[in-house]
Each structure stands twice: as C-alpha cells, then as structure tokens.
Amino acid sequence: GAARLSHADAQRQVLAQTANAIVTVVTAERVAEISRVSLKSALSTLDLNQRRAKLGASSAVDVLRAEQEVTLTRSQVVQADEGVLRAREGLGLSLGSSDPYGVMPNIRVDALASDARSVCRPVADPDTRADVRAARARVEIAERNVKSTDYAFAPTVDLLSNLGWTSNERATANQEHVTWTIGGLLTWQLYDGGLRYGTRSTNQAQKRIADEQLTQSRRLARVEANQAQRAVEVATRNLAVAGKSRQLAAEGARLSRIAFVSGHGNSFDLIDADRRLRSAELDLAVKEFELIRAQIAALLALSSCEV
C-alpha cells in the first residue's frame, strides 16, 4: 500500500530528474556551440579591423578592442565547455554512474514529453498523486494502530476444547474410553503498569503526525501543479521576448557591420552589436530549452509513473 505508492512517487521524481539532466546537457552543448560561432565572428571582426588598420582606416585602439573581444569570447568558450562536462556528469549521476554521459546529436528534446507520457499516467486531481495517496495510506495505518491499542483494553474470551481417548475406561471420570472437555476462559487485564496507555498515546501522536503530513502533501502537490503550469506560461512568454530580442540584435549587428565596412561606423559600435547578438542568441537557446523543461515538469507534476 503505502510503500508501493511511495515507490511510484520516487519513480516520478527520478524520471523528472533524468529528463531535467538530459535537457541540461543539450542546453549546455547548444550554448557551447553558440560560443564557438561567436568566437568565429569575433575573429572575423578582428581580421577586419587589422585589414583596415593596414589601410589606415582604423586605429590601434580599434584593433586592441577587437582583440579584447576575442579574448573574452575565448573565455566564454572555455566556460561553456566546462558547463558541458558538468552537465554530462550530472546526467551520469542521474543514471547511477560516476562516468559522464552525453546525448546523441540527433536527439529530439521536445520528444521527451511524449516519452514521459508513455510511462506516466496523467491525473486530474493533485490529491490522486502517488505521494498524496501514500500519505493517506499512512494515515489509515496510524488509525488502525490506535484502534488496535483500544482493543487491548477489552476483555478476551478463550474457548477451550479437549478430546481424548484411553484404553482403560476405569481411569476416566466418566468410565468411558473417550473424554471430551469444553471450557471457557474470560481474561480482563485491569492494570499493566501503564503500558497500554503509553502505547495508545504514542499511536495517537503518530496519527496526528500522519494527518499533518497528509495535509502538507496535499498542499505541496497543489502548489507544485500550479507553479508548473504557470512556469510553462512564463517560459512561453520569455521565449517570445527572447526571439524578438535576437531578431533585433541580428539586424543591429548587420547594420553595424555594413556601416563599419562603408566607413560610417566605428569599431566600438560593431563590437557592441556583435556582443548583443551573441548574448541574444545564448538567451534564446536557454529560453527554448527552459520551455521544454517547464513542459516536462508540468506533465510530471500531475502524473503517476510506474516504470
């Protein structure tokens, strides 16, 4: 009963942690990929400034600023690679191994939600979630323990019966070979040193604890379900904003490069526009996977999983 339901809830949590670890790995790999693309762009900008400097159209400050941007981008690539390693190690721990685990390049992260539906059954009410049902089962067990102690105060009646046979009929009271005795024993324990009262108080305290745990489980399940649904809405809006920001940053970077090549812009505007584009692309990638993570969390928040 309670143990089986607790096991089912543990499976739900393990699935959620594993799916979150997979999304984290894919996100980290995507961030690392964008960082490398940004490094190529920064190197291209540096090369452009160096060529302009040879022609006398750029100053040494412009070249130095471009070199600083390349150095900063290289540092971000190193950090992104470390993030990938840590994410893979986290996935390995979720799978029960100390070795890092990666994911296939052709994996579809958006298919994780459908995969979760194949092993998890959605529930309509948070009160029917496995952890809440397990808490309710523990309350029922605590109630039975209290009742079992109450039964110890009642008297008990034992019925006794004995059937015997002997070859010497003169050795029996009824002068027969067969004897059959029937009796009853009434036992009523009036005092046992307070053991029953102490046991009853302990069981009542355990029942109150189980009641509070059930109330807390219900409250937590409802809050988690509401937060999970709200997180999907927030992630959807954030993704839309990030997509618009990335579009504007890309247009700004394009116009800045055109102005710089034609001699109407300066290196500061070009580098700043490229930096904004890089930041917008990273933010968009993170927001995309945050939406997928929120959708999986919303699915598992109201599910009963039995693997």
Side-chain angles (χ1 to χ4, degrees), residues 1-3 5-6 130-148 202-218:
L5 293 172
S6 297
D131 56 337
V132 179
R133 293 164 58 197
R136 188 179 298 110
R138 286 190 289 269
V139 170
E140 295 175 355
I141 294 174
E143 290 176 349
R144 288 200 300 267
N145 290 336
V146 174
K147 291 181 179 179
S148 65
T202 300
N203 291 339
Q204 287 178 335
Q206 293 296 330
K207 181 183 179 302
R208 287 194 295 269
I209 293 175
D211 288 336
E212 293 300 326
Q213 290 177 343
L214 174 58
T215 302
Q216 178 65 15
S217 297
R218 285 175 172 173

PDB file of all heavy atoms in Angstrom, residues 1-3 5-6 130-148 202-218:
ATOM      1  N   GLY A   1       0.794  -1.192   0.000  1.00  0.00           N
ATOM      2  CA  GLY A   1       0.000   0.000   0.000  1.00  0.00           C
ATOM      3  C   GLY A   1       0.836   1.255   0.000  1.00  0.00           C
ATOM      4  O   GLY A   1       1.169   1.796  -1.052  1.00  0.00           O
ATOM      5  N   ALA A   2       1.182   1.737   1.188  1.00  0.00           N
ATOM      6  CA  ALA A   2       1.936   2.985   1.302  1.00  0.00           C
ATOM      7  C   ALA A   2       3.314   2.853   0.677  1.00  0.00           C
ATOM      8  O   ALA A   2       3.798   3.778   0.012  1.00  0.00           O
ATOM      9  CB  ALA A   2       2.049   3.393   2.769  1.00  0.00           C
ATOM     10  N   ALA A   3       3.971   1.714   0.880  1.00  0.00           N
ATOM     11  CA  ALA A   3       5.308   1.526   0.307  1.00  0.00           C
ATOM     12  C   ALA A   3       5.253   1.501  -1.219  1.00  0.00           C
ATOM     13  O   ALA A   3       6.123   2.073  -1.893  1.00  0.00           O
ATOM     14  CB  ALA A   3       5.923   0.227   0.838  1.00  0.00           C
ATOM     15  N   LEU A   5       3.011   2.972  -3.153  1.00  0.00           N
ATOM     16  CA  LEU A   5       2.731   4.329  -3.630  1.00  0.00           C
ATOM     17  C   LEU A   5       3.953   5.233  -3.488  1.00  0.00           C
ATOM     18  O   LEU A   5       4.220   6.060  -4.365  1.00  0.00           O
ATOM     19  CB  LEU A   5       1.547   4.902  -2.850  1.00  0.00           C
ATOM     20  CG  LEU A   5       0.201   4.225  -3.105  1.00  0.00           C
ATOM     21  CD1 LEU A   5      -0.858   4.737  -2.130  1.00  0.00           C
ATOM     22  CD2 LEU A   5      -0.253   4.450  -4.536  1.00  0.00           C
ATOM     23  N   SER A   6       4.698   5.062  -2.397  1.00  0.00           N
ATOM     24  CA  SER A   6       5.924   5.846  -2.235  1.00  0.00           C
ATOM     25  C   SER A   6       6.935   5.485  -3.319  1.00  0.00           C
ATOM     26  O   SER A   6       7.656   6.356  -3.825  1.00  0.00           O
ATOM     27  CB  SER A   6       6.527   5.595  -0.853  1.00  0.00           C
ATOM     28  OG  SER A   6       5.642   6.028   0.170  1.00  0.00           O
ATOM     29  N   ALA A 130       0.674  10.121  -6.416  1.00  0.00           N
ATOM     30  CA  ALA A 130       1.147   8.969  -5.644  1.00  0.00           C
ATOM     31  C   ALA A 130       1.604   9.361  -4.245  1.00  0.00           C
ATOM     32  O   ALA A 130       1.325   8.644  -3.284  1.00  0.00           O
ATOM     33  CB  ALA A 130       2.292   8.278  -6.404  1.00  0.00           C
ATOM     34  N   ASP A 131       2.293  10.495  -4.116  1.00  0.00           N
ATOM     35  CA  ASP A 131       2.783  10.866  -2.788  1.00  0.00           C
ATOM     36  C   ASP A 131       1.647  11.224  -1.842  1.00  0.00           C
ATOM     37  O   ASP A 131       1.704  10.923  -0.638  1.00  0.00           O
ATOM     38  CB  ASP A 131       3.780  12.022  -2.888  1.00  0.00           C
ATOM     39  CG  ASP A 131       3.182  13.226  -3.596  1.00  0.00           C
ATOM     40  OD1 ASP A 131       2.221  13.046  -4.373  1.00  0.00           O
ATOM     41  OD2 ASP A 131       3.674  14.353  -3.377  1.00  0.00           O
ATOM     42  N   VAL A 132       0.575  11.850  -2.370  1.00  0.00           N
ATOM     43  CA  VAL A 132      -0.582  12.166  -1.531  1.00  0.00           C
ATOM     44  C   VAL A 132      -1.307  10.892  -1.137  1.00  0.00           C
ATOM     45  O   VAL A 132      -1.730  10.727   0.022  1.00  0.00           O
ATOM     46  CB  VAL A 132      -1.531  13.126  -2.267  1.00  0.00           C
ATOM     47  CG1 VAL A 132      -2.756  13.441  -1.407  1.00  0.00           C
ATOM     48  CG2 VAL A 132      -0.805  14.416  -2.630  1.00  0.00           C
ATOM     49  N   ARG A 133      -1.453   9.966  -2.070  1.00  0.00           N
ATOM     50  CA  ARG A 133      -2.100   8.698  -1.745  1.00  0.00           C
ATOM     51  C   ARG A 133      -1.281   7.896  -0.745  1.00  0.00           C
ATOM     52  O   ARG A 133      -1.833   7.217   0.129  1.00  0.00           O
ATOM     53  CB  ARG A 133      -2.304   7.901  -3.026  1.00  0.00           C
ATOM     54  CG  ARG A 133      -3.319   8.528  -3.986  1.00  0.00           C
ATOM     55  CD  ARG A 133      -3.203   7.949  -5.377  1.00  0.00           C
ATOM     56  NE  ARG A 133      -3.386   6.510  -5.379  1.00  0.00           N
ATOM     57  CZ  ARG A 133      -3.026   5.721  -6.393  1.00  0.00           C
ATOM     58  NH1 ARG A 133      -2.428   6.247  -7.459  1.00  0.00           N
ATOM     59  NH2 ARG A 133      -3.226   4.420  -6.331  1.00  0.00           N
ATOM     60  N   ALA A 134       0.042   7.974  -0.851  1.00  0.00           N
ATOM     61  CA  ALA A 134       0.886   7.287   0.125  1.00  0.00           C
ATOM     62  C   ALA A 134       0.721   7.895   1.513  1.00  0.00           C
ATOM     63  O   ALA A 134       0.656   7.179   2.521  1.00  0.00           O
ATOM     64  CB  ALA A 134       2.352   7.365  -0.312  1.00  0.00           C
ATOM     65  N   ALA A 135       0.626   9.230   1.585  1.00  0.00           N
ATOM     66  CA  ALA A 135       0.403   9.879   2.874  1.00  0.00           C
ATOM     67  C   ALA A 135      -0.956   9.499   3.453  1.00  0.00           C
ATOM     68  O   ALA A 135      -1.100   9.301   4.667  1.00  0.00           O
ATOM     69  CB  ALA A 135       0.510  11.396   2.717  1.00  0.00           C
ATOM     70  N   ARG A 136      -1.968   9.378   2.585  1.00  0.00           N
ATOM     71  CA  ARG A 136      -3.290   8.969   3.051  1.00  0.00           C
ATOM     72  C   ARG A 136      -3.257   7.524   3.565  1.00  0.00           C
ATOM     73  O   ARG A 136      -3.920   7.193   4.564  1.00  0.00           O
ATOM     74  CB  ARG A 136      -4.297   9.108   1.913  1.00  0.00           C
ATOM     75  CG  ARG A 136      -5.756   8.888   2.360  1.00  0.00           C
ATOM     76  CD  ARG A 136      -6.724   9.055   1.207  1.00  0.00           C
ATOM     77  NE  ARG A 136      -6.689  10.400   0.658  1.00  0.00           N
ATOM     78  CZ  ARG A 136      -6.193  10.707  -0.540  1.00  0.00           C
ATOM     79  NH1 ARG A 136      -5.679   9.763  -1.316  1.00  0.00           N
ATOM     80  NH2 ARG A 136      -6.213  11.955  -0.970  1.00  0.00           N
ATOM     81  N   ALA A 137      -2.494   6.669   2.898  1.00  0.00           N
ATOM     82  CA  ALA A 137      -2.368   5.284   3.365  1.00  0.00           C
ATOM     83  C   ALA A 137      -1.679   5.221   4.723  1.00  0.00           C
ATOM     84  O   ALA A 137      -2.040   4.395   5.577  1.00  0.00           O
ATOM     85  CB  ALA A 137      -1.597   4.456   2.329  1.00  0.00           C
ATOM     86  N   ARG A 138      -0.707   6.091   4.947  1.00  0.00           N
ATOM     87  CA  ARG A 138      -0.041   6.110   6.254  1.00  0.00           C
ATOM     88  C   ARG A 138      -0.979   6.593   7.352  1.00  0.00           C
ATOM     89  O   ARG A 138      -0.884   6.154   8.507  1.00  0.00           O
ATOM     90  CB  ARG A 138       1.204   7.002   6.178  1.00  0.00           C
ATOM     91  CG  ARG A 138       2.364   6.360   5.419  1.00  0.00           C
ATOM     92  CD  ARG A 138       3.635   7.153   5.580  1.00  0.00           C
ATOM     93  NE  ARG A 138       3.593   8.410   4.853  1.00  0.00           N
ATOM     94  CZ  ARG A 138       4.011   8.560   3.602  1.00  0.00           C
ATOM     95  NH1 ARG A 138       4.511   7.531   2.943  1.00  0.00           N
ATOM     96  NH2 ARG A 138       3.954   9.734   3.016  1.00  0.00           N
ATOM     97  N   VAL A 139      -1.902   7.487   7.004  1.00  0.00           N
ATOM     98  CA  VAL A 139      -2.912   7.908   7.978  1.00  0.00           C
ATOM     99  C   VAL A 139      -3.808   6.727   8.348  1.00  0.00           C
ATOM    100  O   VAL A 139      -4.138   6.521   9.525  1.00  0.00           O
ATOM    101  CB  VAL A 139      -3.752   9.073   7.412  1.00  0.00           C
ATOM    102  CG1 VAL A 139      -4.947   9.360   8.309  1.00  0.00           C
ATOM    103  CG2 VAL A 139      -2.897  10.324   7.283  1.00  0.00           C
ATOM    104  N   GLU A 140      -4.211   5.943   7.362  1.00  0.00           N
ATOM    105  CA  GLU A 140      -5.046   4.775   7.639  1.00  0.00           C
ATOM    106  C   GLU A 140      -4.309   3.768   8.514  1.00  0.00           C
ATOM    107  O   GLU A 140      -4.908   3.161   9.419  1.00  0.00           O
ATOM    108  CB  GLU A 140      -5.471   4.127   6.324  1.00  0.00           C
ATOM    109  CG  GLU A 140      -6.373   5.022   5.468  1.00  0.00           C
ATOM    110  CD  GLU A 140      -6.671   4.396   4.121  1.00  0.00           C
ATOM    111  OE1 GLU A 140      -6.092   3.314   3.833  1.00  0.00           O
ATOM    112  OE2 GLU A 140      -7.458   4.975   3.348  1.00  0.00           O
ATOM    113  N   ILE A 141      -3.019   3.586   8.276  1.00  0.00           N
ATOM    114  CA  ILE A 141      -2.239   2.674   9.116  1.00  0.00           C
ATOM    115  C   ILE A 141      -2.170   3.191  10.543  1.00  0.00           C
ATOM    116  O   ILE A 141      -2.302   2.428  11.518  1.00  0.00           O
ATOM    117  CB  ILE A 141      -0.828   2.501   8.520  1.00  0.00           C
ATOM    118  CG1 ILE A 141      -0.905   1.785   7.166  1.00  0.00           C
ATOM    119  CG2 ILE A 141       0.072   1.728   9.481  1.00  0.00           C
ATOM    120  CD1 ILE A 141       0.420   1.709   6.437  1.00  0.00           C
ATOM    121  N   ALA A 142      -1.978   4.507  10.691  1.00  0.00           N
ATOM    122  CA  ALA A 142      -1.915   5.096  12.034  1.00  0.00           C
ATOM    123  C   ALA A 142      -3.252   4.945  12.753  1.00  0.00           C
ATOM    124  O   ALA A 142      -3.293   4.693  13.963  1.00  0.00           O
ATOM    125  CB  ALA A 142      -1.520   6.561  11.938  1.00  0.00           C
ATOM    126  N   GLU A 143      -4.371   5.092  12.031  1.00  0.00           N
ATOM    127  CA  GLU A 143      -5.678   4.897  12.644  1.00  0.00           C
ATOM    128  C   GLU A 143      -5.866   3.460  13.107  1.00  0.00           C
ATOM    129  O   GLU A 143      -6.422   3.209  14.190  1.00  0.00           O
ATOM    130  CB  GLU A 143      -6.768   5.274  11.636  1.00  0.00           C
ATOM    131  CG  GLU A 143      -6.847   6.768  11.342  1.00  0.00           C
ATOM    132  CD  GLU A 143      -7.868   7.082  10.270  1.00  0.00           C
ATOM    133  OE1 GLU A 143      -8.345   6.115   9.618  1.00  0.00           O
ATOM    134  OE2 GLU A 143      -8.197   8.269  10.094  1.00  0.00           O
ATOM    135  N   ARG A 144      -5.410   2.498  12.328  1.00  0.00           N
ATOM    136  CA  ARG A 144      -5.521   1.098  12.734  1.00  0.00           C
ATOM    137  C   ARG A 144      -4.676   0.813  13.969  1.00  0.00           C
ATOM    138  O   ARG A 144      -5.067   0.024  14.842  1.00  0.00           O
ATOM    139  CB  ARG A 144      -5.108   0.177  11.579  1.00  0.00           C
ATOM    140  CG  ARG A 144      -6.100   0.124  10.439  1.00  0.00           C
ATOM    141  CD  ARG A 144      -5.901  -1.116   9.587  1.00  0.00           C
ATOM    142  NE  ARG A 144      -4.570  -1.165   9.008  1.00  0.00           N
ATOM    143  CZ  ARG A 144      -4.260  -0.697   7.803  1.00  0.00           C
ATOM    144  NH1 ARG A 144      -5.211  -0.114   7.061  1.00  0.00           N
ATOM    145  NH2 ARG A 144      -3.039  -0.786   7.331  1.00  0.00           N
ATOM    146  N   ASN A 145      -3.513   1.456  14.055  1.00  0.00           N
ATOM    147  CA  ASN A 145      -2.673   1.262  15.241  1.00  0.00           C
ATOM    148  C   ASN A 145      -3.363   1.786  16.496  1.00  0.00           C
ATOM    149  O   ASN A 145      -3.256   1.178  17.581  1.00  0.00           O
ATOM    150  CB  ASN A 145      -1.333   1.965  15.043  1.00  0.00           C
ATOM    151  CG  ASN A 145      -0.468   1.281  14.004  1.00  0.00           C
ATOM    152  OD1 ASN A 145      -0.626   0.087  13.740  1.00  0.00           O
ATOM    153  ND2 ASN A 145       0.454   2.025  13.407  1.00  0.00           N
ATOM    154  N   VAL A 146      -4.071   2.914  16.370  1.00  0.00           N
ATOM    155  CA  VAL A 146      -4.803   3.448  17.521  1.00  0.00           C
ATOM    156  C   VAL A 146      -5.922   2.496  17.919  1.00  0.00           C
ATOM    157  O   VAL A 146      -6.124   2.201  19.108  1.00  0.00           O
ATOM    158  CB  VAL A 146      -5.352   4.843  17.205  1.00  0.00           C
ATOM    159  CG1 VAL A 146      -6.249   5.342  18.340  1.00  0.00           C
ATOM    160  CG2 VAL A 146      -4.200   5.832  16.990  1.00  0.00           C
ATOM    161  N   LYS A 147      -6.654   1.979  16.946  1.00  0.00           N
ATOM    162  CA  LYS A 147      -7.741   1.057  17.245  1.00  0.00           C
ATOM    163  C   LYS A 147      -7.227  -0.245  17.853  1.00  0.00           C
ATOM    164  O   LYS A 147      -7.860  -0.818  18.745  1.00  0.00           O
ATOM    165  CB  LYS A 147      -8.534   0.763  15.978  1.00  0.00           C
ATOM    166  CG  LYS A 147      -9.335   1.952  15.459  1.00  0.00           C
ATOM    167  CD  LYS A 147     -10.109   1.575  14.209  1.00  0.00           C
ATOM    168  CE  LYS A 147     -10.925   2.773  13.696  1.00  0.00           C
ATOM    169  NZ  LYS A 147     -11.667   2.422  12.463  1.00  0.00           N
ATOM    170  N   SER A 148      -6.083  -0.699  17.357  1.00  0.00           N
ATOM    171  CA  SER A 148      -5.535  -1.945  17.915  1.00  0.00           C
ATOM    172  C   SER A 148      -5.176  -1.771  19.385  1.00  0.00           C
ATOM    173  O   SER A 148      -5.318  -2.710  20.181  1.00  0.00           O
ATOM    174  CB  SER A 148      -4.305  -2.377  17.116  1.00  0.00           C
ATOM    175  OG  SER A 148      -3.257  -1.429  17.258  1.00  0.00           O
ATOM    176  N   THR A 202       1.209   7.161  22.268  1.00  0.00           N
ATOM    177  CA  THR A 202       2.208   7.181  21.183  1.00  0.00           C
ATOM    178  C   THR A 202       1.549   7.016  19.823  1.00  0.00           C
ATOM    179  O   THR A 202       1.867   7.736  18.862  1.00  0.00           O
ATOM    180  CB  THR A 202       3.244   6.071  21.410  1.00  0.00           C
ATOM    181  OG1 THR A 202       3.898   6.274  22.666  1.00  0.00           O
ATOM    182  CG2 THR A 202       4.287   6.069  20.304  1.00  0.00           C
ATOM    183  N   ASN A 203       0.607   6.078  19.716  1.00  0.00           N
ATOM    184  CA  ASN A 203      -0.068   5.857  18.441  1.00  0.00           C
ATOM    185  C   ASN A 203      -0.932   7.051  18.042  1.00  0.00           C
ATOM    186  O   ASN A 203      -1.041   7.381  16.853  1.00  0.00           O
ATOM    187  CB  ASN A 203      -0.921   4.593  18.516  1.00  0.00           C
ATOM    188  CG  ASN A 203      -0.078   3.333  18.595  1.00  0.00           C
ATOM    189  OD1 ASN A 203       1.090   3.336  18.221  1.00  0.00           O
ATOM    190  ND2 ASN A 203      -0.654   2.248  19.095  1.00  0.00           N
ATOM    191  N   GLN A 204      -1.565   7.693  19.019  1.00  0.00           N
ATOM    192  CA  GLN A 204      -2.339   8.897  18.708  1.00  0.00           C
ATOM    193  C   GLN A 204      -1.437  10.024  18.206  1.00  0.00           C
ATOM    194  O   GLN A 204      -1.804  10.766  17.289  1.00  0.00           O
ATOM    195  CB  GLN A 204      -3.121   9.337  19.948  1.00  0.00           C
ATOM    196  CG  GLN A 204      -4.310   8.456  20.278  1.00  0.00           C
ATOM    197  CD  GLN A 204      -5.026   8.905  21.540  1.00  0.00           C
ATOM    198  OE1 GLN A 204      -4.429   9.546  22.406  1.00  0.00           O
ATOM    199  NE2 GLN A 204      -6.296   8.554  21.657  1.00  0.00           N
ATOM    200  N   ALA A 205      -0.252  10.154  18.815  1.00  0.00           N
ATOM    201  CA  ALA A 205       0.698  11.167  18.345  1.00  0.00           C
ATOM    202  C   ALA A 205       1.167  10.857  16.922  1.00  0.00           C
ATOM    203  O   ALA A 205       1.286  11.758  16.082  1.00  0.00           O
ATOM    204  CB  ALA A 205       1.891  11.243  19.290  1.00  0.00           C
ATOM    205  N   GLN A 206       1.408   9.569  16.636  1.00  0.00           N
ATOM    206  CA  GLN A 206       1.798   9.177  15.288  1.00  0.00           C
ATOM    207  C   GLN A 206       0.691   9.464  14.281  1.00  0.00           C
ATOM    208  O   GLN A 206       0.964   9.851  13.141  1.00  0.00           O
ATOM    209  CB  GLN A 206       2.165   7.687  15.264  1.00  0.00           C
ATOM    210  CG  GLN A 206       3.414   7.336  16.049  1.00  0.00           C
ATOM    211  CD  GLN A 206       4.660   7.967  15.479  1.00  0.00           C
ATOM    212  OE1 GLN A 206       4.754   8.204  14.273  1.00  0.00           O
ATOM    213  NE2 GLN A 206       5.638   8.236  16.342  1.00  0.00           N
ATOM    214  N   LYS A 207      -0.558   9.304  14.712  1.00  0.00           N
ATOM    215  CA  LYS A 207      -1.670   9.612  13.809  1.00  0.00           C
ATOM    216  C   LYS A 207      -1.745  11.102  13.526  1.00  0.00           C
ATOM    217  O   LYS A 207      -2.006  11.522  12.387  1.00  0.00           O
ATOM    218  CB  LYS A 207      -2.993   9.133  14.410  1.00  0.00           C
ATOM    219  CG  LYS A 207      -4.194   9.399  13.513  1.00  0.00           C
ATOM    220  CD  LYS A 207      -5.483   8.983  14.145  1.00  0.00           C
ATOM    221  CE  LYS A 207      -6.657   9.284  13.216  1.00  0.00           C
ATOM    222  NZ  LYS A 207      -6.739  10.709  12.861  1.00  0.00           N
ATOM    223  N   ARG A 208      -1.529  11.932  14.548  1.00  0.00           N
ATOM    224  CA  ARG A 208      -1.542  13.377  14.312  1.00  0.00           C
ATOM    225  C   ARG A 208      -0.422  13.789  13.363  1.00  0.00           C
ATOM    226  O   ARG A 208      -0.607  14.656  12.503  1.00  0.00           O
ATOM    227  CB  ARG A 208      -1.420  14.115  15.645  1.00  0.00           C
ATOM    228  CG  ARG A 208      -2.684  14.068  16.503  1.00  0.00           C
ATOM    229  CD  ARG A 208      -2.629  15.073  17.637  1.00  0.00           C
ATOM    230  NE  ARG A 208      -1.569  14.746  18.591  1.00  0.00           N
ATOM    231  CZ  ARG A 208      -1.747  13.990  19.656  1.00  0.00           C
ATOM    232  NH1 ARG A 208      -2.944  13.457  19.906  1.00  0.00           N
ATOM    233  NH2 ARG A 208      -0.737  13.736  20.483  1.00  0.00           N
ATOM    234  N   ILE A 209       0.738  13.146  13.528  1.00  0.00           N
ATOM    235  CA  ILE A 209       1.845  13.423  12.612  1.00  0.00           C
ATOM    236  C   ILE A 209       1.470  13.021  11.186  1.00  0.00           C
ATOM    237  O   ILE A 209       1.730  13.751  10.212  1.00  0.00           O
ATOM    238  CB  ILE A 209       3.116  12.689  13.068  1.00  0.00           C
ATOM    239  CG1 ILE A 209       3.609  13.268  14.398  1.00  0.00           C
ATOM    240  CG2 ILE A 209       4.206  12.780  12.007  1.00  0.00           C
ATOM    241  CD1 ILE A 209       4.782  12.513  14.975  1.00  0.00           C
ATOM    242  N   ALA A 210       0.859  11.852  11.034  1.00  0.00           N
ATOM    243  CA  ALA A 210       0.443  11.390   9.703  1.00  0.00           C
ATOM    244  C   ALA A 210      -0.602  12.322   9.100  1.00  0.00           C
ATOM    245  O   ALA A 210      -0.586  12.592   7.889  1.00  0.00           O
ATOM    246  CB  ALA A 210      -0.101   9.960   9.792  1.00  0.00           C
ATOM    247  N   ASP A 211      -1.527  12.834   9.932  1.00  0.00           N
ATOM    248  CA  ASP A 211      -2.521  13.789   9.432  1.00  0.00           C
ATOM    249  C   ASP A 211      -1.855  15.064   8.912  1.00  0.00           C
ATOM    250  O   ASP A 211      -2.231  15.581   7.851  1.00  0.00           O
ATOM    251  CB  ASP A 211      -3.509  14.136  10.546  1.00  0.00           C
ATOM    252  CG  ASP A 211      -4.450  12.986  10.871  1.00  0.00           C
ATOM    253  OD1 ASP A 211      -4.660  12.136   9.976  1.00  0.00           O
ATOM    254  OD2 ASP A 211      -4.966  12.926  12.006  1.00  0.00           O
ATOM    255  N   GLU A 212      -0.886  15.568   9.658  1.00  0.00           N
ATOM    256  CA  GLU A 212      -0.186  16.781   9.225  1.00  0.00           C
ATOM    257  C   GLU A 212       0.632  16.531   7.966  1.00  0.00           C
ATOM    258  O   GLU A 212       0.699  17.394   7.081  1.00  0.00           O
ATOM    259  CB  GLU A 212       0.715  17.285  10.353  1.00  0.00           C
ATOM    260  CG  GLU A 212      -0.033  17.801  11.566  1.00  0.00           C
ATOM    261  CD  GLU A 212      -0.949  18.968  11.228  1.00  0.00           C
ATOM    262  OE1 GLU A 212      -0.578  19.776  10.341  1.00  0.00           O
ATOM    263  OE2 GLU A 212      -2.022  19.070  11.840  1.00  0.00           O
ATOM    264  N   GLN A 213       1.223  15.354   7.881  1.00  0.00           N
ATOM    265  CA  GLN A 213       1.977  15.027   6.669  1.00  0.00           C
ATOM    266  C   GLN A 213       1.058  14.926   5.460  1.00  0.00           C
ATOM    267  O   GLN A 213       1.436  15.341   4.353  1.00  0.00           O
ATOM    268  CB  GLN A 213       2.744  13.717   6.874  1.00  0.00           C
ATOM    269  CG  GLN A 213       3.898  13.827   7.849  1.00  0.00           C
ATOM    270  CD  GLN A 213       4.588  12.505   8.089  1.00  0.00           C
ATOM    271  OE1 GLN A 213       4.046  11.432   7.782  1.00  0.00           O
ATOM    272  NE2 GLN A 213       5.788  12.551   8.648  1.00  0.00           N
ATOM    273  N   LEU A 214      -0.152  14.388   5.653  1.00  0.00           N
ATOM    274  CA  LEU A 214      -1.113  14.322   4.560  1.00  0.00           C
ATOM    275  C   LEU A 214      -1.530  15.726   4.129  1.00  0.00           C
ATOM    276  O   LEU A 214      -1.605  16.026   2.926  1.00  0.00           O
ATOM    277  CB  LEU A 214      -2.335  13.505   4.983  1.00  0.00           C
ATOM    278  CG  LEU A 214      -3.501  13.463   3.983  1.00  0.00           C
ATOM    279  CD1 LEU A 214      -3.046  12.902   2.649  1.00  0.00           C
ATOM    280  CD2 LEU A 214      -4.668  12.665   4.555  1.00  0.00           C
ATOM    281  N   THR A 215      -1.794  16.585   5.101  1.00  0.00           N
ATOM    282  CA  THR A 215      -2.165  17.969   4.771  1.00  0.00           C
ATOM    283  C   THR A 215      -1.042  18.668   4.011  1.00  0.00           C
ATOM    284  O   THR A 215      -1.276  19.368   3.019  1.00  0.00           O
ATOM    285  CB  THR A 215      -2.498  18.743   6.049  1.00  0.00           C
ATOM    286  OG1 THR A 215      -3.570  18.083   6.738  1.00  0.00           O
ATOM    287  CG2 THR A 215      -2.914  20.168   5.734  1.00  0.00           C
ATOM    288  N   GLN A 216       0.199  18.465   4.475  1.00  0.00           N
ATOM    289  CA  GLN A 216       1.343  19.086   3.807  1.00  0.00           C
ATOM    290  C   GLN A 216       1.525  18.524   2.404  1.00  0.00           C
ATOM    291  O   GLN A 216       1.856  19.265   1.464  1.00  0.00           O
ATOM    292  CB  GLN A 216       2.601  18.867   4.649  1.00  0.00           C
ATOM    293  CG  GLN A 216       3.882  19.417   4.033  1.00  0.00           C
ATOM    294  CD  GLN A 216       3.872  20.928   3.907  1.00  0.00           C
ATOM    295  OE1 GLN A 216       3.033  21.595   4.523  1.00  0.00           O
ATOM    296  NE2 GLN A 216       4.785  21.464   3.127  1.00  0.00           N
ATOM    297  N   SER A 217       1.329  17.217   2.226  1.00  0.00           N
ATOM    298  CA  SER A 217       1.475  16.604   0.901  1.00  0.00           C
ATOM    299  C   SER A 217       0.430  17.150  -0.061  1.00  0.00           C
ATOM    300  O   SER A 217       0.741  17.438  -1.222  1.00  0.00           O
ATOM    301  CB  SER A 217       1.353  15.078   1.011  1.00  0.00           C
ATOM    302  OG  SER A 217       2.385  14.542   1.808  1.00  0.00           O
ATOM    303  N   ARG A 218      -0.808  17.295   0.407  1.00  0.00           N
ATOM    304  CA  ARG A 218      -1.852  17.865  -0.438  1.00  0.00           C
ATOM    305  C   ARG A 218      -1.514  19.294  -0.834  1.00  0.00           C
ATOM    306  O   ARG A 218      -1.633  19.684  -2.004  1.00  0.00           O
ATOM    307  CB  ARG A 218      -3.191  17.837   0.302  1.00  0.00           C
ATOM    308  CG  ARG A 218      -3.843  16.469   0.388  1.00  0.00           C
ATOM    309  CD  ARG A 218      -5.088  16.529   1.240  1.00  0.00           C
ATOM    310  NE  ARG A 218      -5.841  15.279   1.197  1.00  0.00           N
ATOM    311  CZ  ARG A 218      -6.894  15.032   1.967  1.00  0.00           C
ATOM    312  NH1 ARG A 218      -7.307  15.942   2.850  1.00  0.00           N
ATOM    313  NH2 ARG A 218      -7.524  13.877   1.872  1.00  0.00           N
TER     314      ARG A 218
END
